[in-house]
Amino acid sequence: MAIQQTLSMIKPDAVQRNLIGSIITLVEANHLVVKKMTMTKLSTHDAKEFYIIHKDRDFYSKLIDYMTSGQVVVLLLEGNNAINVYRDLMGSTNPTEAKEGTIRKLYAEDTTRNSVHGSDSPENAIIEIDFFFK
Ligand code: CMP
């Protein structure tokens, strides 16, 4: 598999619980390299745009309120098959369905406050990386 880049966010619930280092340790242990990193608080405008794909879902406004509730850490990760490697490491969106050892199994509080985000495809990785690191 080729070297890929993917976009990761450590979300407000994890930042608030002092889990930035623990999550990056797992990222690095899984052979993903942090190429860029920034900490920011998303505006409502930016959160709505980032999650525009979910605009018609019933959880959209709850998601926007949550994602603007505190700081996030945004990471550009690189590695062999990085998109799927990072998605496997995150685990299922709903932490009760996440496998042992995944970030969400370890740390997520519920389906919204699920600690991390990761790009779901090469196309979206390009869009999401551009969103934060253009
Ligand atoms: P993420 O991987 O960042 O992509 C979209 C986010 O929407 C997801 O993580 C969750 O934070 C949130 N989300 C997805 N599905 C639901 C749901 N059924 N209920 C509440 N929040 C959800």
Side-chain angles (χ1 to χ4, degrees):
M1 221 331 170
I3 297 289
Q4 288 180 328
Q5 293 189 331
T6 191
L7 194 281
S8 159
M9 254 194 288
I10 302 175
K11 296 182 175 182
D13 66 279
V15 173
Q16 280 156 9
R17 287 178 291 142
N18 221 15
L19 293 170
I20 298 169
S22 302
I23 290 172
I24 292 177
T25 296
L26 287 170
V27 164
E28 293 182 333
N30 281 269
H31 311 292
L32 296 168
V33 178
V34 178
K35 302 295 282 189
K36 295 185 183 180
M37 177 163 68
T38 188
M39 192 169 192
T40 187
K41 191 163 185 292
L42 294 177
S43 65
T44 299
H45 177 273
D46 283 351
K48 281 184 168 174
E49 192 176 327
F50 186 81
Y51 282 116
I52 193 79
I53 192 171
H54 298 302
K55 70 175 171 31
D56 296 325
R57 305 294 295 272
D58 56 0
F59 59 79
Y60 185 62
S61 63
K62 186 178 172 191
L63 174 63
I64 301 308
D65 285 349
Y66 158 62
M67 287 302 296
T68 56
S69 68
Q71 302 259 84
V72 297
V73 174
V74 190
L75 304 143
L76 196 175
L77 303 179
E78 187 175 279
N80 213 1
N81 197 17
I83 294 167
N84 283 335
V85 167
Y86 186 58
R87 288 187 71 76
D88 286 348
L89 176 60
M90 286 195 300
S92 300
T93 304
N94 180 345
T96 64
E97 295 167 7
K99 288 189 188 146
E100 290 297 330
T102 61
I103 295 170
R104 286 169 170 161
K105 180 70 177 184
L106 285 165
Y107 300 128
E109 295 180 326
D110 58 40
T111 305
T112 301
R113 299 172 63 83
N114 63 355
S115 300
V116 281
H117 167 83
S119 309
D120 64 2
S121 66
E123 299 73 30
N124 283 337
I126 290 168
I127 293 167
E128 293 181 359
I129 289 167
D130 268 6
F131 189 90
F132 285 107
F133 294 115
K134 201 162 188 169

PDB file of all heavy atoms in Angstrom, residues 8-10 34 36-40 72-76 132-133:
ATOM      1  N   SER A   8      -6.627  14.179  11.050  1.00  0.00           N
ATOM      2  CA  SER A   8      -7.142  13.742  12.348  1.00  0.00           C
ATOM      3  C   SER A   8      -7.473  14.953  13.195  1.00  0.00           C
ATOM      4  O   SER A   8      -6.785  15.969  13.133  1.00  0.00           O
ATOM      5  CB  SER A   8      -6.070  12.905  13.053  1.00  0.00           C
ATOM      6  OG  SER A   8      -6.302  12.868  14.443  1.00  0.00           O
ATOM      7  N   MET A   9      -8.546  14.821  13.979  1.00  0.00           N
ATOM      8  CA  MET A   9      -8.811  15.837  15.006  1.00  0.00           C
ATOM      9  C   MET A   9      -8.947  15.145  16.353  1.00  0.00           C
ATOM     10  O   MET A   9      -9.626  14.115  16.453  1.00  0.00           O
ATOM     11  CB  MET A   9     -10.136  16.560  14.712  1.00  0.00           C
ATOM     12  CG  MET A   9      -9.958  17.955  14.189  1.00  0.00           C
ATOM     13  SD  MET A   9     -11.499  18.864  14.266  1.00  0.00           S
ATOM     14  CE  MET A   9     -12.410  18.102  12.968  1.00  0.00           C
ATOM     15  N   ILE A  10      -8.301  15.712  17.349  1.00  0.00           N
ATOM     16  CA  ILE A  10      -8.561  15.316  18.737  1.00  0.00           C
ATOM     17  C   ILE A  10      -9.617  16.301  19.232  1.00  0.00           C
ATOM     18  O   ILE A  10      -9.404  17.510  19.247  1.00  0.00           O
ATOM     19  CB  ILE A  10      -7.275  15.366  19.585  1.00  0.00           C
ATOM     20  CG1 ILE A  10      -6.209  14.449  18.974  1.00  0.00           C
ATOM     21  CG2 ILE A  10      -7.590  14.965  21.026  1.00  0.00           C
ATOM     22  CD1 ILE A  10      -4.851  14.510  19.671  1.00  0.00           C
ATOM     23  N   VAL A  34       3.284  12.380  12.600  1.00  0.00           N
ATOM     24  CA  VAL A  34       2.653  13.695  12.660  1.00  0.00           C
ATOM     25  C   VAL A  34       3.477  14.660  11.802  1.00  0.00           C
ATOM     26  O   VAL A  34       4.614  14.980  12.138  1.00  0.00           O
ATOM     27  CB  VAL A  34       2.576  14.215  14.112  1.00  0.00           C
ATOM     28  CG1 VAL A  34       1.952  15.615  14.140  1.00  0.00           C
ATOM     29  CG2 VAL A  34       1.785  13.254  14.990  1.00  0.00           C
ATOM     30  N   LYS A  36       2.033  17.736  10.506  1.00  0.00           N
ATOM     31  CA  LYS A  36       1.622  19.096  10.886  1.00  0.00           C
ATOM     32  C   LYS A  36       0.655  18.972  12.057  1.00  0.00           C
ATOM     33  O   LYS A  36      -0.077  17.965  12.168  1.00  0.00           O
ATOM     34  CB  LYS A  36       0.939  19.827   9.728  1.00  0.00           C
ATOM     35  CG  LYS A  36       1.850  20.095   8.548  1.00  0.00           C
ATOM     36  CD  LYS A  36       1.148  20.923   7.484  1.00  0.00           C
ATOM     37  CE  LYS A  36       2.072  21.114   6.289  1.00  0.00           C
ATOM     38  NZ  LYS A  36       1.451  21.914   5.226  1.00  0.00           N
ATOM     39  N   MET A  37       0.618  20.015  12.889  1.00  0.00           N
ATOM     40  CA  MET A  37      -0.281  19.969  14.050  1.00  0.00           C
ATOM     41  C   MET A  37      -0.635  21.398  14.455  1.00  0.00           C
ATOM     42  O   MET A  37       0.227  22.269  14.473  1.00  0.00           O
ATOM     43  CB  MET A  37       0.408  19.246  15.197  1.00  0.00           C
ATOM     44  CG  MET A  37      -0.377  19.206  16.467  1.00  0.00           C
ATOM     45  SD  MET A  37       0.234  17.951  17.634  1.00  0.00           S
ATOM     46  CE  MET A  37       1.793  18.612  18.097  1.00  0.00           C
ATOM     47  N   THR A  38      -1.904  21.607  14.795  1.00  0.00           N
ATOM     48  CA  THR A  38      -2.314  22.919  15.285  1.00  0.00           C
ATOM     49  C   THR A  38      -3.450  22.746  16.292  1.00  0.00           C
ATOM     50  O   THR A  38      -4.191  21.767  16.241  1.00  0.00           O
ATOM     51  CB  THR A  38      -2.751  23.843  14.123  1.00  0.00           C
ATOM     52  OG1 THR A  38      -2.966  25.149  14.626  1.00  0.00           O
ATOM     53  CG2 THR A  38      -4.017  23.363  13.446  1.00  0.00           C
ATOM     54  N   MET A  39      -3.536  23.693  17.211  1.00  0.00           N
ATOM     55  CA  MET A  39      -4.627  23.679  18.195  1.00  0.00           C
ATOM     56  C   MET A  39      -5.485  24.899  17.932  1.00  0.00           C
ATOM     57  O   MET A  39      -4.964  26.009  17.764  1.00  0.00           O
ATOM     58  CB  MET A  39      -4.047  23.724  19.602  1.00  0.00           C
ATOM     59  CG  MET A  39      -5.032  23.431  20.681  1.00  0.00           C
ATOM     60  SD  MET A  39      -4.141  23.197  22.240  1.00  0.00           S
ATOM     61  CE  MET A  39      -5.457  22.515  23.224  1.00  0.00           C
ATOM     62  N   THR A  40      -6.797  24.707  17.899  1.00  0.00           N
ATOM     63  CA  THR A  40      -7.681  25.826  17.558  1.00  0.00           C
ATOM     64  C   THR A  40      -9.058  25.587  18.169  1.00  0.00           C
ATOM     65  O   THR A  40      -9.379  24.476  18.593  1.00  0.00           O
ATOM     66  CB  THR A  40      -7.794  25.961  16.016  1.00  0.00           C
ATOM     67  OG1 THR A  40      -8.507  27.145  15.702  1.00  0.00           O
ATOM     68  CG2 THR A  40      -8.505  24.777  15.385  1.00  0.00           C
ATOM     69  N   VAL A  72      -9.739  22.068  19.828  1.00  0.00           N
ATOM     70  CA  VAL A  72      -9.430  20.802  19.163  1.00  0.00           C
ATOM     71  C   VAL A  72      -7.961  20.838  18.733  1.00  0.00           C
ATOM     72  O   VAL A  72      -7.391  21.908  18.537  1.00  0.00           O
ATOM     73  CB  VAL A  72     -10.312  20.547  17.908  1.00  0.00           C
ATOM     74  CG1 VAL A  72     -11.783  20.427  18.284  1.00  0.00           C
ATOM     75  CG2 VAL A  72     -10.125  21.629  16.858  1.00  0.00           C
ATOM     76  N   VAL A  73      -7.355  19.653  18.613  1.00  0.00           N
ATOM     77  CA  VAL A  73      -6.014  19.537  18.055  1.00  0.00           C
ATOM     78  C   VAL A  73      -6.155  18.875  16.686  1.00  0.00           C
ATOM     79  O   VAL A  73      -6.777  17.808  16.577  1.00  0.00           O
ATOM     80  CB  VAL A  73      -5.092  18.699  18.970  1.00  0.00           C
ATOM     81  CG1 VAL A  73      -3.736  18.467  18.300  1.00  0.00           C
ATOM     82  CG2 VAL A  73      -4.905  19.396  20.306  1.00  0.00           C
ATOM     83  N   VAL A  74      -5.627  19.545  15.669  1.00  0.00           N
ATOM     84  CA  VAL A  74      -5.751  19.046  14.293  1.00  0.00           C
ATOM     85  C   VAL A  74      -4.387  18.522  13.852  1.00  0.00           C
ATOM     86  O   VAL A  74      -3.374  19.217  14.016  1.00  0.00           O
ATOM     87  CB  VAL A  74      -6.218  20.158  13.333  1.00  0.00           C
ATOM     88  CG1 VAL A  74      -6.563  19.567  11.975  1.00  0.00           C
ATOM     89  CG2 VAL A  74      -7.391  20.920  13.912  1.00  0.00           C
ATOM     90  N   LEU A  75      -4.370  17.309  13.325  1.00  0.00           N
ATOM     91  CA  LEU A  75      -3.116  16.657  12.953  1.00  0.00           C
ATOM     92  C   LEU A  75      -3.166  16.209  11.502  1.00  0.00           C
ATOM     93  O   LEU A  75      -4.162  15.613  11.073  1.00  0.00           O
ATOM     94  CB  LEU A  75      -2.903  15.406  13.817  1.00  0.00           C
ATOM     95  CG  LEU A  75      -2.920  15.601  15.323  1.00  0.00           C
ATOM     96  CD1 LEU A  75      -3.580  14.412  15.986  1.00  0.00           C
ATOM     97  CD2 LEU A  75      -1.524  15.767  15.850  1.00  0.00           C
ATOM     98  N   LEU A  76      -2.103  16.482  10.788  1.00  0.00           N
ATOM     99  CA  LEU A  76      -1.929  15.884   9.465  1.00  0.00           C
ATOM    100  C   LEU A  76      -1.016  14.680   9.666  1.00  0.00           C
ATOM    101  O   LEU A  76       0.140  14.830  10.085  1.00  0.00           O
ATOM    102  CB  LEU A  76      -1.284  16.895   8.505  1.00  0.00           C
ATOM    103  CG  LEU A  76      -1.347  16.602   7.006  1.00  0.00           C
ATOM    104  CD1 LEU A  76      -0.756  17.768   6.223  1.00  0.00           C
ATOM    105  CD2 LEU A  76      -0.654  15.323   6.602  1.00  0.00           C
ATOM    106  N   PHE A 132      -7.756  22.779   6.815  1.00  0.00           N
ATOM    107  CA  PHE A 132      -6.978  23.269   7.957  1.00  0.00           C
ATOM    108  C   PHE A 132      -5.565  23.720   7.607  1.00  0.00           C
ATOM    109  O   PHE A 132      -5.005  24.552   8.313  1.00  0.00           O
ATOM    110  CB  PHE A 132      -6.894  22.184   9.033  1.00  0.00           C
ATOM    111  CG  PHE A 132      -8.170  22.005   9.808  1.00  0.00           C
ATOM    112  CD1 PHE A 132      -8.972  20.896   9.597  1.00  0.00           C
ATOM    113  CD2 PHE A 132      -8.587  22.955  10.733  1.00  0.00           C
ATOM    114  CE1 PHE A 132     -10.151  20.728  10.314  1.00  0.00           C
ATOM    115  CE2 PHE A 132      -9.750  22.794  11.449  1.00  0.00           C
ATOM    116  CZ  PHE A 132     -10.538  21.685  11.239  1.00  0.00           C
ATOM    117  N   PHE A 133      -4.962  23.147   6.588  1.00  0.00           N
ATOM    118  CA  PHE A 133      -3.525  23.361   6.389  1.00  0.00           C
ATOM    119  C   PHE A 133      -3.157  23.942   5.033  1.00  0.00           C
ATOM    120  O   PHE A 133      -2.017  23.861   4.625  1.00  0.00           O
ATOM    121  CB  PHE A 133      -2.768  22.041   6.587  1.00  0.00           C
ATOM    122  CG  PHE A 133      -2.823  21.518   7.998  1.00  0.00           C
ATOM    123  CD1 PHE A 133      -3.464  20.329   8.310  1.00  0.00           C
ATOM    124  CD2 PHE A 133      -2.230  22.238   9.046  1.00  0.00           C
ATOM    125  CE1 PHE A 133      -3.516  19.848   9.609  1.00  0.00           C
ATOM    126  CE2 PHE A 133      -2.276  21.762  10.345  1.00  0.00           C
ATOM    127  CZ  PHE A 133      -2.913  20.566  10.632  1.00  0.00           C
TER     128      PHE A 133
END
